[in-house]
């Protein structure tokens, strides 16, 4: 690729090290030019030659940077996105994009005025388990769907140290943390729901924010989609459960990319993105005579590199980015309701 997009990374903590820097570095169309590190300076050890700025304002002011990745706490997204766009940068923003749909629309208008592009980091569209489930849905094997469940559960009894997730401020709580992943996966397949209903819960001792949510999305033709998340689930349920007129599918959450990246596995490793054996989904089909057959559904190979390829193609060749503004507005309208 002749064109290299000069890229800046706003934070080099866990998300910067795991979800962004390895992919920017691996993709031939990007150059990881600079990061922000307020305290420990570690990026240069991992990526020799990268500039380490002390402040985000210094990063934004770097005239060489064309694309800024905003991977800072949720409540800062709107402010930093505004500053970055105003400085003439394209932006890739982690979920949730903003706290409200009104903020999102304001940023869309600013990007249009500046002639810059906004990209949404919805990486879970490229998880190995989700892509396998989506392939089954699109194959039509289940027939007309009637009930769909997407879950993202954890067990974390203690109140976490990240105040932007645990204090009652803008875009805090479990719904704004994991809700964007689940809602994006549902919306990307089924579109904008006709109706929705939310249930929130606070179950951990002394919690100030929601640590449980269940959202029902109603679609035409009696297709009911539920997204759930619970921080106190000791024995996790299947992440994906789908029922249709011709069969049912059960699939665990198995994407291994985060675990591998935390262990510093390279994207070029032949084992990268491949789930371990024994984690296949279970597809049960029934024929017109009532005979049931059970089939194994292996995960597809996971990789977040296609997300960065989509960003590259949009900037360089004006190819539409797969996560659309309308989809993000729908997501935010549900989160903020």
């Amino acid at each position: 690729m002749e064109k290299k997009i000069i890229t800046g990374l706003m934070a080099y903590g866990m998300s910067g090290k795991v979800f962004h820097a390895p992919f920017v570095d691996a993709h031939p169309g990007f150059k990881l030019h600079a990061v922000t590190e307020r305290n420990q300076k570690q990026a240069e050890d991992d990526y020799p030659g990268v500039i380490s700025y002390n402040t985000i304002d210094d990063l934004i002011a770097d005239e060489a940077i064309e694309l800024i990745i905003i991977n800072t706490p949720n409540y800062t997204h709107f402010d930093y996105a505004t500053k970055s766009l105003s400085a003439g940068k394209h932006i890739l923003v982690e979920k949730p994009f903003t706290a409200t749909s009104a903020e999102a629309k304001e940023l869309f208008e600013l990007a249009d005025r500046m002639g810059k592009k906004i990209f949404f980091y919805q990486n879970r569209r490229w998880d190995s388990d989700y892509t396998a489930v989506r392939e089954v849905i699109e194959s039509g094997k289940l027939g007309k769907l009637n009930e769909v469940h997407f879950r993202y559960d954890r067990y974390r009894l203690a109140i976490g140290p990240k105040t932007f997730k645990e204090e009652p401020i803008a875009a805090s709580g479990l719904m704004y943390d994991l809700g964007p992943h689940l809602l994006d996966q549902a919306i990307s397949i089924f579109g904008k729901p006709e109706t929705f209903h939310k249930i929130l819960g606070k179950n951990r001792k002394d919690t100030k924010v929601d640590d449980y949510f269940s959202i029902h999305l109603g679609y035409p033709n009696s297709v009911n989609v539920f997204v759930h998340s619970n921080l106190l689930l000791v024995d996790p349920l299947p992440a994906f459960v789908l029922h249709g007129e011709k069969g049912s599918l059960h699939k665990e959450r198995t994407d291994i990319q985060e675990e591998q990246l935390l262990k510093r596995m390279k994207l070029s490793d032949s084992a990268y993105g491949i789930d371990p054996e024994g984690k296949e989904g279970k597809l049960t089909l029934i024929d017109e005579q009532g005979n049931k057959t059970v089939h194994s559904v292996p995960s597809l190979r996971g990789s977040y590199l296609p997300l960065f390829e989509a960003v590259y193609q949009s900037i360089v060749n004006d190819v539409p980015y797969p996560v659309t503004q309308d989809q993000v507005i729908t997501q935010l309208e549900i989160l903020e309701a």
Side-chain angles (χ1 to χ4, degrees), residues 26-63:
H27 193 292
F30 295 91
K31 174 178 171 55
L32 183 58
H33 174 74
V35 303
T36 304
E37 295 178 288
R38 299 179 188 274
N39 300 308
Q40 293 181 320
K41 301 289 186 177
Q42 301 174 333
E44 212 274 336
D45 292 336
D46 297 332
Y47 303 98
V50 71
I51 299 170
S52 177
Y53 286 113
N54 293 321
T55 71
I56 283 172
D57 286 341
D58 289 338
L59 182 86
I60 294 173
D62 188 326
E63 294 183 357

Side-chain angles (χ1 to χ4, degrees), residues 190-317:
F190 299 103
K192 184 176 183 177
E194 292 184 331
T195 61
F196 66 87
H197 176 72
K198 284 192 309 189
I199 299 172
L200 302 181
K202 296 180 179 179
N203 295 298
R204 297 167 301 158
K205 182 181 178 182
D206 298 326
T207 187
K208 298 178 182 179
V209 297
D210 57 274
D211 51 23
Y212 168 88
F213 68 80
S214 180
I215 307 174
H216 168 240
L217 308 173
Y219 288 94
N221 203 19
S222 296
V223 178
N224 292 284
V225 178
F226 301 85
V227 298
H228 318 268
S229 187
N230 189 341
L231 275 187
L232 290 181
L233 214 64
V234 177
D235 186 14
L237 295 164
F240 305 95
V241 176
L242 299 91
H243 301 293
E245 62 182 346
K246 296 181 180 179
S248 296
L249 173 65
H250 289 203
K251 184 79 175 70
E252 292 182 46
R253 183 168 302 283
T254 56
D255 188 88
I256 201 170
Q257 291 183 82
E258 182 174 342
E259 178 183 334
Q260 292 175 330
L261 291 164
L262 284 168
K263 294 178 180 177
R264 317 285 284 196
M265 179 181 282
K266 298 294 184 182
L267 305 186
S268 57
D269 192 303
S270 61
Y272 178 78
I274 298 178
D275 292 341
E277 293 185 5
K279 297 292 187 178
E280 296 80 9
K282 178 184 177 184
L283 175 64
T284 305
L285 300 178
I286 189 167
D287 63 22
E288 294 180 355
Q289 289 72 44
N291 302 308
K292 293 182 181 180
T293 55
V294 178
H295 308 265
S296 176
V297 179
S299 296
L300 303 179
R301 185 171 191 161
S303 176
Y304 301 140
L305 202 56
L307 183 153
F308 290 86
E309 171 66 11
V311 171
Y312 180 87
Q313 291 298 334
S314 181
I315 292 175
V316 175
N317 296 315

Side-chain angles (χ1 to χ4, degrees), residues 95-100 122 171 174-181 183 196 198 200 213 215 328-337:
K95 56 79 192 170
F97 175 56
T98 53
T100 68
Q122 296 285 174
L174 184 64
M175 186 180 62
Y176 270 94
D177 186 25
L178 297 182
H181 286 317
L183 286 170
F196 66 87
K198 284 192 309 189
L200 302 181
F213 68 80
I215 307 174
V328 170
I329 292 297
T330 295
Q331 175 195 129
L332 291 173
E333 288 174 344
I334 296 170
L335 290 174
E336 71 187 351

Side-chain angles (χ1 to χ4, degrees), residues 61-207:
D62 188 326
E63 294 183 357
I65 294 175
E66 302 166 86
L67 169 70
I68 289 182
I69 299 173
I70 300 175
N71 60 323
T72 51
N74 298 352
Y75 71 93
T76 68
H77 289 181
F78 175 72
D79 181 40
Y80 291 153
T82 300
K83 289 180 177 180
S84 299
L85 289 169
S86 298
K89 317 295 187 185
H90 303 294
I91 56 173
L92 171 61
V93 187
E94 281 197 343
K95 56 79 192 170
F97 175 56
T98 53
T100 68
S101 58
E103 289 180 341
K105 291 172 183 177
E106 186 175 331
L107 291 175
F108 297 160
E109 292 174 0
L110 176 58
D112 286 343
R113 291 198 303 271
M114 297 301 300
K116 297 301 170 183
K117 296 193 174 187
I118 295 175
F119 305 101
F120 314 99
Y121 187 74
Q122 296 285 174
N123 61 314
R124 299 297 176 181
R125 287 198 190 190
W126 288 270
D127 277 354
S128 60
D129 39 33
Y130 170 75
T131 54
V133 169
R134 180 165 190 155
E135 187 174 86
V136 171
I137 294 173
E138 292 176 345
S139 73
K141 292 177 181 177
L142 295 172
K144 189 197 89 66
L145 295 171
N146 53 68
E147 185 177 344
V148 175
H149 296 263
F150 290 174
R151 303 192 65 98
Y152 202 144
D153 299 310
R154 293 169 172 164
Y155 183 81
R156 293 181 180 174
L157 181 61
I159 304 300
K162 294 183 178 180
T163 57
F164 71 89
K165 291 186 177 182
E166 298 285 9
E167 292 293 326
I169 59 177
S172 65
L174 184 64
M175 186 180 62
Y176 270 94
D177 186 25
L178 297 182
H181 286 317
L182 293 166
L183 286 170
D184 180 70
Q185 289 181 335
I187 291 166
S188 70
I189 292 176
F190 299 103
K192 184 176 183 177
E194 292 184 331
T195 61
F196 66 87
H197 176 72
K198 284 192 309 189
I199 299 172
L200 302 181
K202 296 180 179 179
N203 295 298
R204 297 167 301 158
K205 182 181 178 182
D206 298 326
T207 187

